[in-house]
Amino acid sequence: MPTISSPMSPSDSNRTLRKATVEDIPAIKAMVDAAYSKYIERIGKPPAPMTEDWDETIRTHEVLVLRDNEHIVGSISFYEDKQTNSLKIDNVVVDPKAQSRGYGYYMIKYAEMEGQKQGLPSVTLFTNVKMFENIAYYPKLGFTETERKMEDGFERVYFYKKLAE
């Protein structure tokens, strides 16, 4: 399978994004469980990515895994949301042992480039209202909060970012 790489900078040459396969699901699930388990107590139940059907997600969304030096350190899933005419990022996860190295930023920037390539005017995403860290982080990437609502039993905060034309 071809590797998808993002032209972020020469120092990122050991980072590659590639389409996830069913063989990657155990690694994705392990990262999701490790990264999201700290939120169970805050939310009162496992966050949605922990109970997601990853087999189905790989069939219906673009799911990529980020490798750095041959180790999977992150994953992102997104799809074209016809309802909002945007590229909707459904999940971004970074292995807790690899956090604070810019991997999440790298994957979100890649998704933005994909949205532009597809001719979409914006990127949207959401997080749980109790994931305070994310609510503070996304505006730093240029996202604007658009709404808060209950959905699938979770209180979610939605964000929007207009893409350059």
Side-chain angles (χ1 to χ4, degrees), residues 106-121:
Y106 183 81
M107 290 185 287
I108 289 170
K109 287 298 177 189
Y110 180 84
E112 290 174 12
M113 290 188 307
E114 277 299 301
Q116 284 179 307
K117 199 177 347 176
Q118 293 176 26
L120 297 169

Side-chain angles (χ1 to χ4, degrees), residues 89-151:
I89 298 174
D90 196 45
N91 188 52
V92 179
V93 64
V94 175
D95 186 319
K97 294 178 288 209
Q99 289 179 355
S100 299
R101 297 183 196 165
Y103 294 131
Y105 173 85
Y106 183 81
M107 290 185 287
I108 289 170
K109 287 298 177 189
Y110 180 84
E112 290 174 12
M113 290 188 307
E114 277 299 301
Q116 284 179 307
K117 199 177 347 176
Q118 293 176 26
L120 297 169
S122 63
V123 172
T124 56
L125 55 80
F126 63 87
T127 191
N128 190 288
V129 73
K130 295 194 177 164
M131 294 181 179
F132 316 116
E133 304 86 346
N134 296 344
I135 293 170
Y137 179 65
Y138 294 134
K140 293 176 184 175
L141 300 181
F143 286 86
T144 302
E145 183 179 328
T146 58
E147 68 178 315
R148 293 180 181 219
K149 65 181 177 179
M150 283 298 291
E151 185 177 60

Side-chain angles (χ1 to χ4, degrees), residues 20-30 54-56 58:
T21 65
V22 292
E23 289 80 21
D24 295 318
I25 291 173
I28 293 169
K29 282 183 177 180
W54 286 98
D55 290 302
E56 175 69 14
I58 281 181

